[in-house]
Amino acid sequence: MTAVRGARPIRNKELSDFHFHLDKNDIAIPSLEKYSTVWREWINFSNSKSLKGLESFTHADYTQGTSQTFDNFILRHSKDREIIVLEGDFQYHACLGKHVEFKYIAYPHHLEGTLKGPGLHALLISAPFSDFGCIHPDFEYIMKICDVHDIPVCLDLAYWGIAKNIHIDLNKFPAIKEVTCSLSKPFFTLENHRVGIRFTKDYVDDGISMLNEVKMANNYSMALGIEYMRNFSPDYNWEKYTKPYEKLCRDLDLVYSDSVIFALGDAERHEEFNRGVEGNYRVCVSEYLSDC
């Protein structure tokens, strides 16, 4: 078994068996309304994390994982704004950033001093933060700066189903204009089905909404997602793996995070795991926890 630099779901026999025994012919194709309702209920069906204020995000669309949301957010805003991302966040953003005005923010607590002016930037940020496995320590400060400087924010909750100790009140952060989440990381077997959702405060006229409106969303993935959310809570991974995760971290001398597939290493042993943040070495430990 080896740790990896990326992010992989835990290969879980229980989930694999669940997927294998699903009667695919009996899975009902859901409406978008039903799909989004199940998502809203699932996100907050948790004893370890909470997302308040989602009811203000009245528009919902199926997305191919979270990446389709990122594509469209960047496409819409890059025509007149610089796309900004914190150092260490999801590296997919940098791939798109090669083709637009894009900048990494190395020192978030100095964010205000790096801005060109109000209304000239758009931010993507993950919670828990991709490189730390927990909420970014400057999250609230960053959201306040975004509000003051008219910076629309896309909140990435791709790790929601593997996280704990994340409590966000969207009502406090008006700069957050859209929220996206997926089931790829919490549920092994779904990573290739691209089960995602985007919630927005206002109607967004883009490719995502068009595909949903003409009923070209991936209905089978939507149906699979509902089956998993009905049977496994967003706390499932921590409830199943808390003890083996903690033992693993002790045995390998790693620092706990709030995301069950991540732990933090050190420069001496994990230099190649550094993803941009000085002194931070995120290690994906899902292979150590896998049982199939």
Side-chain angles (χ1 to χ4, degrees):
M1 291 182 293
T2 58
V4 297
R5 192 171 182 270
R8 301 288 184 270
I10 299 168
R11 288 184 291 103
N12 177 335
K13 188 176 186 304
E14 182 179 11
L15 293 176
S16 181
D17 289 345
F18 177 78
H19 186 270
F20 179 79
H21 291 295
L22 273 176
D23 188 340
K24 311 303 191 295
N25 294 319
D26 286 344
I27 296 178
I29 300 303
S31 65
L32 178 59
E33 181 180 7
K34 181 176 183 180
Y35 180 72
S36 62
T37 297
V38 172
W39 262 106
R40 292 178 189 276
E41 293 171 350
W42 182 82
I43 284 174
N44 275 309
F45 191 73
S46 171
N47 294 317
S48 65
K49 50 189 171 278
S50 61
L51 184 69
K52 295 182 180 179
L54 190 58
E55 65 276 3
S56 297
F57 292 68
T58 55
H59 299 269
D61 291 294
Y62 165 82
T63 58
Q64 297 276 349
T66 53
S67 56
Q68 191 181 16
T69 297
F70 306 146
D71 293 345
N72 281 262
F73 182 85
I74 291 173
L75 181 63
R76 292 197 321 274
H77 291 296
S78 61
K79 65 181 185 296
D80 54 11
R81 295 173 183 264
E82 180 179 58
I83 305 301
I84 55 176
V85 173
L86 305 188
E87 197 85 60
D89 213 333
F90 188 26
Q91 292 180 322
Y92 181 85
H93 305 325
C95 295
L96 297 177
K98 298 172 185 176
H99 308 287
V100 300
E101 192 175 357
F102 174 91
K103 180 167 64 179
Y104 267 129
I105 305 298
Y107 301 101
H109 48 288
H110 295 155
L111 171 62
E112 199 163 19
T114 69
L115 300 177
K116 298 178 180 180
L120 297 178
H121 304 83
L123 171 73
L124 300 104
I125 186 170
S126 53
F129 186 65
S130 180
D131 208 27
F132 301 158
C134 60
I135 196 78
H136 196 288
D138 294 317
F139 180 80
E140 293 197 9
Y141 164 76
I142 293 167
M143 292 303 101
K144 290 176 182 177
I145 295 300
C146 289
D147 185 30
V148 170
H149 290 273
D150 183 25
I151 301 174
V153 175
C154 175
L155 181 64
D156 169 15
L157 300 181
Y159 295 159
W160 190 257
I162 57 170
K164 64 178 180 178
N165 301 327
I166 307 295
H167 299 282
I168 299 173
D169 186 348
L170 296 169
N171 297 312
K172 294 181 178 180
F173 308 120
I176 298 175
K177 305 302 183 184
E178 55 192 85
V179 176
T180 187
C181 192
S182 81
L183 302 181
S184 299
K185 295 304 181 291
F187 299 139
F188 172 64
T189 65
L190 285 190
E191 63 270 27
N192 295 321
H193 286 286
R194 318 301 296 140
V195 184
I197 194 161
R198 178 185 70 177
F199 298 103
T200 60
K201 286 184 175 178
D202 301 310
Y203 173 76
V204 177
D205 186 7
D206 65 0
I208 290 176
S209 57
M210 187 276 284
L211 289 173
N212 278 265
E213 287 162 9
V214 300
K215 302 188 185 306
M216 291 182 64
N218 188 328
N219 291 328
Y220 182 63
S221 289
M222 293 168 67
L224 274 180
I226 285 179
E227 292 299 320
Y228 276 74
M229 287 186 283
R230 282 175 167 171
N231 284 276
F232 304 98
S233 85
D235 293 340
Y236 167 77
N237 282 283
W238 273 111
E239 290 171 351
K240 184 176 181 68
Y241 292 108
T242 292
K243 289 184 179 179
Y245 173 84
E246 292 177 351
K247 182 180 187 302
L248 169 68
C249 289
R250 291 193 300 268
D251 291 347
L252 298 182
D253 192 21
L254 298 171
V255 176
Y256 297 176
S257 83
D258 286 335
S259 298
V260 73
I261 69 170
F262 298 132
L264 302 179
D266 56 68
E268 182 177 350
R269 296 175 298 154
H270 306 100
E271 184 176 3
E272 72 273 21
F273 290 86
N274 180 267
R275 300 169 64 253
V277 177
E278 184 178 356
N280 195 75
Y281 307 92
R282 189 198 78 181
V283 178
C284 180
V285 298
S286 56
E287 282 299 302
Y288 293 93
L289 299 171
S290 296
D291 62 4
C292 68

